[in-house]
Amino acid sequence: AQRVTQPEKLLSVFKGAPVELKCNYSYSGSPELFWYVQYSRQRLQLLLRHISRESIKGFTADLNKGETSFHLKKPFAQEEDSAMYYCALSAPGNTPLVFGKGTRLSVIA
Amino acid sequence: KAGVTQTPRYLIKTRGQQVTLSCSPISGHRSVSWYQQTPGQGLQFLFEYFSETQRNKGNFPGRFSGRQFSNSRSEMNVSTLELGDSALYLCASSLVPGRETQYFGPGTRLLVL
């Protein structure tokens, strides 16, 4: 079965420092990977997906099939990046989206 | 387009009662998924519906059930509530199932006393 692991429950960084939120997955095929974000008092929303290869709000994520990872990165953290971040995997076929347990990012001024 | 809506937003129930939560997807979206969100477990998948058919079910007891109507609106029901059912229940919709972006509602916060 597919599994998504986010090893850090909480990540605290200073404003202006680089950020890397880790995501590892277990799936042998070709998954679709997503990062969803939940800001305080807002609904969960898509941040980015690997197939689009976009940079959203300065965040990027690269799918590394060899290491089965999809880490989320931003070179300079901003206070407004403080939120809960979830990595998610979608496998082909009749399977639901699988979420990691999330990482709370706290950017300290 | 209006986003995903969920009603009610807040509920307080006592153990043993049952509850029904409602979700209206984005217009044109035919796939609806339900999740339970708790601080300890994060997002746990409950069900996925498409065209009134349940495509997938998560690892939850039979007390949790759901359905989807012809207009794609969905309901989930929890019978014989337990304290551990206290959580935020999220609904998400997408055009079709599969590798589509899911759009989430604000959630229904259920407190079981």
Side-chain angles (χ1 to χ4, degrees), chain A residues 9 27 30-32 34 36 38 43-46 49 86 90-97 99-101, chain B residues 3-5 35 37-38 40-43 45 48 55-56 88 90 98-106:
Chain A
K9 280 190 174 180
Y27 179 67
S30 296
E32 174 75 21
F34 304 80
Y36 283 83
Q38 190 169 30
R43 60 184 70 190
L44 195 61
Q45 59 187 286
L46 178 72
R49 54 190 296 180
Y86 292 94
S90 176
N94 187 20
T95 59
L97 192 62
F99 283 87
K101 292 198 173 183
Chain B
V4 177
T5 58
Y35 300 87
Q37 186 179 31
T38 57
Q41 297 299 318
L43 280 159
F45 171 76
E48 181 186 38
R55 291 183 82 240
N56 286 292
L88 182 67
L90 294 175
R99 302 183 172 198
E100 294 285 328
T101 298
Q102 294 200 354
Y103 296 84
F104 284 82

Side-chain angles (χ1 to χ4, degrees), chain A residues 15-85:
Chain A
K15 178 182 173 181
V19 174
E20 182 178 69
L21 297 164
K22 291 184 167 52
C23 172
N24 294 95
Y25 65 89
S26 61
Y27 179 67
S28 56
S30 296
E32 174 75 21
L33 275 299
F34 304 80
W35 277 99
Y36 283 83
V37 60
Q38 190 169 30
Y39 300 104
S40 179
R41 297 188 181 85
Q42 293 188 30
R43 60 184 70 190
L44 195 61
Q45 59 187 286
L46 178 72
L47 179 63
L48 56 81
R49 54 190 296 180
H50 95 271
I51 198 169
S52 63
R53 305 187 73 82
E54 291 178 291
S55 173
I56 307 293
K57 299 186 178 183
F59 284 98
T60 58
D62 289 319
L63 177 61
N64 186 324
K65 290 189 176 181
E67 295 182 359
T68 58
S69 68
F70 188 56
H71 302 329
L72 184 67
K73 299 177 184 179
K74 185 170 182 177
F76 308 103
Q78 302 298 314
E79 288 179 76
E80 55 266 29
D81 296 329
S82 295
M84 194 74 180
Y85 291 80

